[in-house]
Amino acid sequence: MARMKFICDAERCIECNGCVTACKNEHEVPWGVNRRRVVTLNDGVPGEKSISVACMHCSDAPCMAVCPVNCFYRTDEGVVLHDKDVCIGCGYCSYACPFGAPQFPSQGTFGMRGKMDKCTFCAGGPEANGSQAEFEKYGRNRLAEGKLPACAEMCSTKALLAGDGDVVADIFRSRVVQRGKGAEVWGWGTAYGSKQAGQPPVQATEGAKP
Amino acid sequence: QAPASPAVTPSPPAVVAAPVIAGIQSQSIFEVKPDASQDSGYASQTNAERAQVQPGNNAPMWRQVGQGVTGYSSLPKTQAPEAGNLIQPFVQYPGSRLTNAGEAWRQVRNQWIIPYGAALLGIVVLALSIFYFAKGTMGHEHPDTGRRIERFTPFERAAHWANAFAFIALALSGIVMAFGKFFLLPLMGSALFGWLTFALKNVHNFMGPLFAVSLLVIIVTFVKDNIANRADFVWLSKAGGMLGGHDQVPSHRFNAGEKGLFWWGVTIPGIVVVGTGLVLDKLIPGVGELRGQMQIAHMLHAALAIWMMALVLGHIYMGTVGMRGAYKAMKTGYVSEGWAQEHHALWAEDVRTGKIPAQRSGPVAVSPDAGRTAQV
Amino acid sequence: MLLTKKTSSAAPVSGASPFVHSLRRGLAQALPTMDRRAFLRRSGLGVGVGLAATQLTLVKKSNAAEGAKVAVGSSKIEVRRTVCTHCSVGCAVDAVVENGVWVRQEPVFDSPINLGAHCAKGASLREHGHGEYRLRYPMKLVNGKYERISWDVALNEISAKMLELRKASGPDSLYVVGSSKHNNEQAYLLRKWMSFWGSNNCDHQARICHSTTVAGVANTWGYGAMTNSYNDMQNSKVALYIGSNAAEAHPVSMLHMLHAKETGCKMIVVDPRFTRTAAKADEYVRIRSGTDIPFLFGLLYHIFKNGWEDKKYLHDRVYGMEKVREEVLAKWTPDKVEEACGVPEAQVLKVATILNANRPGTIVWCMGQTQHSIGNAIVRASCLLQLALGNVGKSGGGTNIFRGHDNVQGATDVGPNPDSLPGYYGLAEGAWKHFAKAWGVDFEWIKGRYASPAMMTKSGITVSRWIDGVLEKNELIDQDSNLRGVFFWGHAPNSQTRGLEMKRAMDKLDLLVVVDPYPSATAAMAAMPGKPEDLNPNRAVYLLPAATQFETSGSCTASNRSLQWREKVIEPLWESRTDHMIMYQFAQKLGFDKELIKNVKLHKVKGMDEPVVEDILREINQSLWTIGYTGQSPERLKAHMKNMHVFDVKTLKAKGGKDPETGYDFAGDYFGLPWPCYGTPELKHPGSPNLYDTSKHVMDGGGNFRANFGVERDGQTLLAEDGSHSLGADITTGYPEFDHVLLKKLGWWDDLTAAEKTAAEGKNWKTDMSGGIQRVVMKVHGCHPFGNAKARAVVWNFPDPIPQHREPLYGTRPDMVAKYPTHDDKKAFWRLPTLYKSIQDKNVADKVYEKFPLILTSGRLVEYEGGGEETRSNPWLAELQQEAFVEINPKAAADRGIRNGERVWLSSPTGARLNVQALVTERVGPDTVWMPFHFSGRWQGVDMLAHYPKGAAPIVRGEAVNTATTYGYDSVTMMQETKTTVCNIEKA
Ligand SMILES: Nc1nc2c(c(=O)[nH]1)N[C@H]1C(S)=C(S)[C@@H](COP(=O)(O)OP(=O)(O)OC[C@H]3O[C@@H](n4cnc5c(=O)[nH]c(N)nc54)[C@H](O)[C@@H]3O)O[C@H]1N2
Ligand SMILES: Nc1nc2c(c(=O)[nH]1)N[C@H]1C(S)=C(S)[C@@H](COP(=O)(O)OP(=O)(O)OC[C@H]3O[C@@H](n4cnc5c(=O)[nH]c(N)nc54)[C@H](O)[C@@H]3O)O[C@H]1N2
Ligand code: HEM
Ligand code: HEM
Ligand code: SF4
Ligand code: SF4
Ligand code: SF4
Ligand code: SF4
Ligand code: SF4
Ligand SMILES: [Mo]
């Protein structure tokens, strides 16, 4: 079975927010909920890099581990989904998630966060594939339609890759070889446990390796 | 330098070196400047500086990311304060590894608070059962003969019961939130359990403020009689009568055990639990926007809440089946002289000498079960 | 504890595993970067739409137009192909429409232009189909509030008022601000409409966008357009972006550039601001705003000095470069360059070295070069650099001028320009006669519509100056009456400079009509109380709801000159009507409807007559020979749109294939038949992917520089040298443009058919309506109809034949003004007195630079477009940018005690004071501040919400930078100076 993953190629991402609005459009996501967002580091100075981030569908997902009602589940393709009927909106997943993926429709007081919402890898939720109920709660189920996530499909520079982890890694690897740089796969260490990122901060004494 | 001789034409300026275009032609990690890393300050270079000497090496930037640096996001800070953060920064909470904050919090909660909290509560319940099995209900019956002493005014009782009610609601809902998925979920199935927990979570959210107010009242009302004095050391040294004879150790209105509960089981953790609970509820302006704050609030809240539950379990035991007559005192407000003498000799003494009036509430206070007007 | 509750392949229809296999399969053949397209296509639409058809009925419908509610289950699902309306990249979109409601948007992986990619604006297009914040019905301003009226009332009242103005003050008292948002057919019809009204007082966005480019570049080598394409940039070895922030303004173009980078292209960005584009560059150069000429000539200095110029190319194909060389070597020594633009010699040399070592190289420019009072000179300096390097007319080279609006190229080519009829025919009598014939009307009748024959051939007022047409003293303007009525027909007010004066001009008008789906910026500005003494008591203000481009069909021309056909996605929402329907309905009231649609049939839309768009395009095909808008018949364009997959991404060329419906053979065609696509559609010219490319046969889109400036100058030939010609041409020397005389002289006349001969007699390649001359010259003899000449390094008919650096009117460097002063004032320039020196001198004398020590420049944010009323009404975009802001350097901020995120007052010499948020960033240098220009709805600190028509205010409102911008216009085209002015900033 394929294992779905995201890669955002920081050498390509131009912070155009195409992925962000593609997601909003496809899933009718309300104002205030950002399943995907774009972050720019070193903004306005040389070395500036932008990265688009959503739920990474982690291998050992922290959100899943802390949810008090166990409403998360994982599909065969490694997509981490949750059941809004069960979710109590406690917010624990958002404390645990390294990437800030879980979102809450109202930021109101009394802890009334509403049901959590996050990127579904465009794979809907527990309801029947393509059903009205699924759409209303989770947005469209593109995977079931044989399509890839809307955000990646519409990415203006194809910086954002989504799909079978092996396939997207291949694409990315060939780019890296071509340009001879930009090999870092953002977030994979943290999300999928590879040795590339998400390690404790490198101390300043350590020489930087390419 | 040799003195310039007028006969010699000034030496031509050094031939313009072929323009140096490093840094742009070699945007490749395979063509890095081999000695770039010898530079002093190499390790503290910014990403821009690094790009000059080692094009394509973005280590400084990835290091920043790893350290949880917050970048720019066009979403307004007021609406999405952490949108600019890619990965939560690394921290080490007590009991966790040094890892990103979300993971650290998860470790504390899932590896410490939940299992050990459950264990603690389990042990307390077990211990109290054994205790009850071994000792049964303690204390003597005191027929309603002599003078009745008003131990708790109606106000005090109202505060206590409101507080107790809120606490229990919070505790039960909290327990379901913390542990429900281990014992209730398998029984009920996810849909029902989700529904129940959602309801209880809202109970928890709304009961919190009630608890906060009643707790405040409790603290104010009882603080005077919970200040430690010499008798408490005696009481403690005899472990409240558990050691040695079966006689109770004389105490003032509250004995050292009760005082201990008051301070370490109610007041101090209570304030923290209330405070952190209000943070988790997003009721305290300016705090709780950031996940880091929530994580700390949550850990304190959950740990101390469980601690309170453990102690209050003991208290409830003592206030009900553990100690004869105690419950009635809180139910009716009155105790017999005999009970007072047995359990709080020094207090009974003060009442007798009139230092403390036997009836503190209004003149028409009614003793509900006795049905007659109390004497002043 | 990883529980697996559900497999997404549970449902039998799930594409999960075949989908993944197709991913793998696709990739096996795919190239590493771009050709994700191949496998995405496989897993994308093919399966998707099939599935969509079975599933969409279950999907929630957007609550769009009232009355569009339909029972679930009885639905009809269609996919309509359209093109994003937000910029000139021209990204294709598939709109999924269910029972007339636009329910979904799918990427078009087949499009060779965007391969399914979109920026934020394109990915959120579907919101237009909701139209929640749009104007729903016609409205009229009554006592400061907008009130609903019917279309009939609106049309009657407005046309009555127009006729009244015409009677009292002549046709030139009306001004129509047209739109680059209109499709080609509407833009063309509007120019015709205006001609039949009898005035040249019409214009559109191109004036304030790329007019300087169009004039400068056309006068250098022929056509004023982007020479190559976004796709062709994949062939570049180096790309110099100077005055373009493509990552925000043309995001999908970066798809091609970043791919090129991966295959070794070097990228250089020259900009006063460290932009998102600069972040992707190998080399970033910061210059002072307005000093592109010193920098470009600084490069040329090193190129000439080291002999890096392409000498053979210059000899064969360029006139006058020696003069430039002399001037550059004498005047632009490195010290002068550094003094003027602030770039040290080493960096200039470095850039020159890279340009020399990597050929072909391309140059990209945009508003950073054009929007200056010397814009025409700056863009020519860029052309000179490319000519010197021999980069023009080559794949991978060229001047890639990224155009602005989705159809600004088309509207420039065929639309409402004040100085020309469609197709750059100009306004001379010959041009009018050509069009009288094309339109099937009597030349004398048109003449009679004008105030006088003189006014017929005199260029009208420009959109940048319409306010002066209202405010200027009558005796100083070069037409009878001042402007009294203005139509804003798809144009925002906050995109023109001098906002404070615009408010006064709006108040003085007799008639203001706004025809726009989102007319609210103009509406609010007009309704807002101004100075009582300015207000014309008889003023009438109307708002008419126009349909968007998704509610009509038609063609639009992307920046690379490719035409794309939009299918109609939905019916016009609410009470809106399409622009061409509105034009026709006005014509009916004004009495020239018959003439307007002589060659055009009508059909019914929502029960009303609307001119058929295809027929208008056919009329364009039959008249615009100059720029080759003749081959792009509706049938060819539609076939291209339906079969995008046959076109190669790098070359845009069809690999072959036939349209399954019509059998049309694509072989040899370039996608969208990029103009010039000469001859009749039957000639099957394939379009021209790269202009002036001699390596290709003319019938394969090849070409050479245009012979448009005579054949000789000062004893030197202007025609190309022997041996320099497009591939396979029968004439191997330079030659002039073709007309009947030349044809006869060459003995080619008899290649014409008898019918063609009749039509071509007395005509040239531009006016022969049979297309015979073009056919014979190209197809039979492989020659270029417009001749084969040299590019002009010296444009002798411009104020500065060799580009000269001149300081802006409002600047912070009086020392530089002394050395590089501006032009002298002009008296009647586009009908208006135009000031240069008197203002600049006064500013220096008044020490304006002391009170306003910061350079103010402005530009774009990726989320918003233009004046922004459309995009700020789109919640998906609005959420991403909620505050107008000004970027200010930490040093400048610290000097003023300003911290990031604080409110500040930005004041300008006009007296305007803007209240905005400070974004403290090193993106700008300490002497410069930058503001996005997309905001409106706040006026000098006050919210204008109360003045908006009810329900039609955008979600995000903010202070418009153009409320504060100052006077200053290009000396050729009247381009407004928006990129360099001055301001001061204080903590609020
Ligand atoms: N998102 C978005 N995209 C758009 C549009 C939009 O409104 N929004 N509009 C479309 C239109 S109409 C157009 S015309 C294009 C415009 O596209 P661009 O011209 O690329 O966009 P701008 O941001 O106006 O200006 C480009 C850059 O010019 C720089 N600049 C300012 N002064 C100077 C100077 O003196 N010299 C140089 N070299 N650079 C200077 C600015 O810092 C800015 O970064 O974008 C099109 N695309
Ligand atoms: N300070 C500063 N000012 C600038 C610039 C700058 O960089 N700095 N850039 C300049 C440039 S390059 C440009 S192009 C202009 C852009 O400025 P504008 O073109 O004035 O801005 P838009 O908001 O795109 O205006 C287009 C209008 O057309 C409407 N519209 C859309 N589709 C249709 C349609 O089908 N029919 C009709 N009738 N209307 C339609 C939209 O609702 C919108 O109101 O701004 C210029 N102004
Ligand atoms: C069902 C649950 C409870 C029962 C049956 C109960 C019973 C009692 C009784 C009988 C007393 C009187 C003891 C005496 O007379 O000395 C008492 C006192 C008290 N209880 Fe409770 N109680 C309960 C819950 C709680 C809870 C949840 C709290 C607080 C978190 C609490 C706080 C106190 C305090 C502060 C006193 C006064 C004693 C002191 O200050 O030391 N009780 N309770
Ligand atoms: C002012 C008082 C209190 C407030 C505002 C409050 C609020 C909260 C909140 C917001 C949560 C997080 C879950 C959620 O969002 O629903 C929570 C969890 C919890 N609370 Fe409270 N609470 C209060 C008092 C208490 C008390 C007194 C107890 C103990 C008896 C308690 C026990 C718990 C427990 C056990 C959890 C679950 C921890 C976990 O799942 O890890 N709370 N509380
Ligand atoms: S990214 Fe966050 S929400 Fe997504 S799976 Fe990982 S921990 Fe869960
Ligand atoms: S918010 Fe919902 S999904 Fe997240 S941890 Fe709480 S119950 Fe689980
Ligand atoms: S995968 Fe789908 S749900 Fe997730 S961010 Fe992308 S578009 Fe949104
Ligand atoms: S669409 Fe692509 S390039 Fe644009 S912000 Fe998203 S990931 Fe980056
Ligand atoms: S705005 Fe331009 S780049 Fe963005 S999707 Fe539309 S056409 Fe493409
Ligand atoms: Mo533009």
Side-chain angles (χ1 to χ4, degrees), chain A:
Chain A
M1 227 341 60
R3 165 69 167 96
M4 292 298 172
K5 289 180 184 171
F6 281 123
I7 290 183
C8 182
D9 184 345
E11 298 294 323
R12 278 202 179 202
C13 177
I14 56 173
E15 205 249 344
C16 74
N17 277 319
C19 46
V20 174
T21 56
C23 177
K24 291 235 166 192
N25 185 343
E26 181 70 351
H27 305 300
E28 300 273 7
V29 183
W31 184 289
V33 175
N34 296 289
R35 289 186 176 186
R36 181 168 282 288
R37 65 189 199 280
V38 185
V39 172
T40 304
L41 297 163
N42 297 312
D43 185 49
V45 295
E48 174 183 301
K49 293 266 180 304
S50 297
I51 293 166
S52 170
V53 59
C55 171
M56 293 291 281
H57 303 277
C58 304
S59 297
D60 176 12
C63 53
M64 190 182 258
V66 297
C67 177
V69 292
N70 257 12
C71 71
F72 286 93
Y73 62 98
R74 181 189 307 284
T75 71
D76 292 349
E77 287 149 329
V79 178
V80 175
L81 298 176
H82 74 296
D83 187 340
K84 285 198 183 179
D85 291 344
V86 179
C87 169
I88 60 170
C90 65
Y92 292 0
C93 46
S94 77
Y95 312 158
C97 171
F99 304 103
Q103 302 281 304
F104 296 89
S106 102
Q107 292 288 337
T109 45
F110 272 80
M112 300 291 278
R113 290 180 184 80
K115 308 273 179 178
M116 189 272 275
D117 186 88
K118 73 167 187 67
C119 161
T120 63
F121 209 87
C122 289
E127 275 79 5
N129 284 345
S131 63
Q132 170 95 36
E134 183 187 51
F135 175 69
E136 277 172 8
K137 285 183 210 157
Y138 309 94
R140 290 206 167 77
N141 188 338
R142 292 176 68 89
L143 286 198
E145 293 173 28
K147 298 176 190 169
L148 290 172
C151 51
E153 284 200 338
M154 290 200 193
C155 168
S156 66
T157 60
K158 306 292 176 202
L160 186 63
L161 305 174
D164 182 354
D166 298 336
V167 178
V168 294
D170 278 349
I171 298 173
F172 185 71
R173 207 167 299 124
S174 42
R175 281 187 197 171
V176 172
V177 170
Q178 270 201 330
R179 67 186 174 216
K181 65 163 178 171
E184 305 86 350
V185 188
W186 182 78
W188 272 37
T190 308
Y192 313 129
S194 83
K195 278 278 169 200
Q196 284 161 359
Q199 304 301 312
V202 185
Q203 293 313 310
T205 46
E206 191 183 320
K209 298 177 276 342

Side-chain angles (χ1 to χ4, degrees), chain B:
Chain B
Q1 294 279 324
S5 130
V8 182
T9 48
S11 62
V15 182
V16 180
V20 188
I21 51 171
I24 179 126
Q25 285 209 317
S26 60
Q27 287 281 346
S28 158
I29 49 170
F30 304 118
E31 294 173 44
V32 294
K33 268 194 186 169
D35 53 350
S37 58
Q38 305 308 310
D39 246 46
S40 63
Y42 174 76
S44 55
Q45 278 165 344
T46 66
N47 208 38
E49 290 160 350
R50 180 63 53 81
Q52 293 302 308
V53 295
Q54 231 180 330
N57 180 326
N58 290 317
M61 201 263 297
W62 297 115
R63 194 177 304 135
Q64 284 181 297
V65 171
Q67 284 161 345
V69 72
T70 291
Y72 164 88
S73 154
S74 67
L75 293 166
K77 278 246 165 15
T78 47
Q79 288 171 27
E82 287 190 278
N85 180 264
L86 278 170
I87 301 193
Q88 293 192 38
F90 275 67
V91 295
Q92 186 164 20
Y93 290 132
S96 83
R97 280 190 286 114
L98 175 64
T99 177
N100 76 62
E103 173 61 15
W105 171 78
R106 162 192 170 180
Q107 285 173 6
V108 173
R109 179 179 184 268
N110 285 13
Q111 291 169 18
W112 293 93
I113 297 177
I114 297 298
Y116 292 103
L120 177 65
L121 293 180
I123 288 167
V124 168
V125 171
L126 197 70
L128 289 175
S129 328
I130 293 172
F131 190 80
Y132 180 67
F133 195 71
K135 291 239 169 180
T137 307
M138 294 189 297
H140 306 99
E141 286 292 349
H142 296 278
D144 242 353
T145 47
R147 271 198 340 143
R148 285 165 40 91
I149 304 172
E150 189 187 35
R151 188 159 166 76
F152 298 107
T153 63
F155 176 77
E156 287 167 341
R157 281 183 289 136
H160 176 267
W161 289 121
N163 187 48
F165 171 73
F167 185 90
I168 287 166
L170 287 164
L172 289 178
S173 54
I175 284 170
V176 172
M177 277 189 278
F179 311 109
K181 75 171 166 188
F182 302 108
F183 68 98
L184 280 177
L185 178 61
L187 289 176
M188 307 170 85
S190 65
L192 195 57
F193 175 66
W195 181 86
L196 174 80
T197 318
F198 184 62
L200 288 180
K201 186 221 146 191
N202 283 322
V203 167
H204 197 91
N205 287 161
F206 285 97
M207 211 49 96
L210 173 64
F211 177 73
V213 172
S214 60
L215 181 71
L216 205 70
V217 175
I218 291 262
I219 294 172
V220 171
T221 339
F222 292 114
V223 70
K224 191 171 109 267
D225 294 320
N226 276 299
I227 295 170
N229 54 32
R230 206 153 36 84
D232 296 330
F233 292 97
V234 182
W235 194 92
L236 281 175
S237 66
K238 300 194 176 158
M242 296 290 161
L243 300 180
H246 277 269
D247 277 349
Q248 301 252 337
V249 186
S251 69
H252 282 281
R253 186 171 177 212
F254 300 121
N255 64 37
E258 287 172 298
K259 289 180 181 176
L261 172 85
F262 177 86
W263 289 111
W264 300 106
V266 176
T267 304
I268 293 166
I271 289 171
V272 178
V273 167
V274 165
T276 53
L278 296 176
V279 169
L280 293 172
D281 264 356
K282 300 199 162 199
L283 283 174
I284 299 185
V287 209
E289 294 299 329
L290 305 176
R291 285 166 294 172
Q293 296 167 349
M294 293 301 237
Q295 288 158 355
I296 293 169
H298 174 273
M299 289 183 297
L300 286 172
H301 186 82
L304 289 177
I306 290 170
W307 167 253
M308 280 179 85
M309 284 192 269
L311 291 191
V312 169
L313 270 176
H315 169 74
I316 294 174
Y317 172 81
M318 285 308 223
T320 51
V321 294
M323 193 63 73
R324 205 161 270 128
Y327 179 69
K328 200 171 147 212
M330 193 43 95
K331 188 179 167 207
T332 64
Y334 291 88
V335 292
S336 65
E337 264 185 315
W339 188 91
Q341 183 58 41
E342 180 188 356
H343 295 276
H344 300 277
L346 299 174
W347 177 64
E349 177 66 32
D350 283 350
V351 173
R352 267 196 304 277
T353 57
K355 257 195 189 160
I356 299 171
Q359 176 73 34
R360 287 172 300 132
S361 60
V364 284
V366 170
S367 167
D369 62 347
R372 19 172 201 143
T373 312
Q375 308 292 304
V376 179

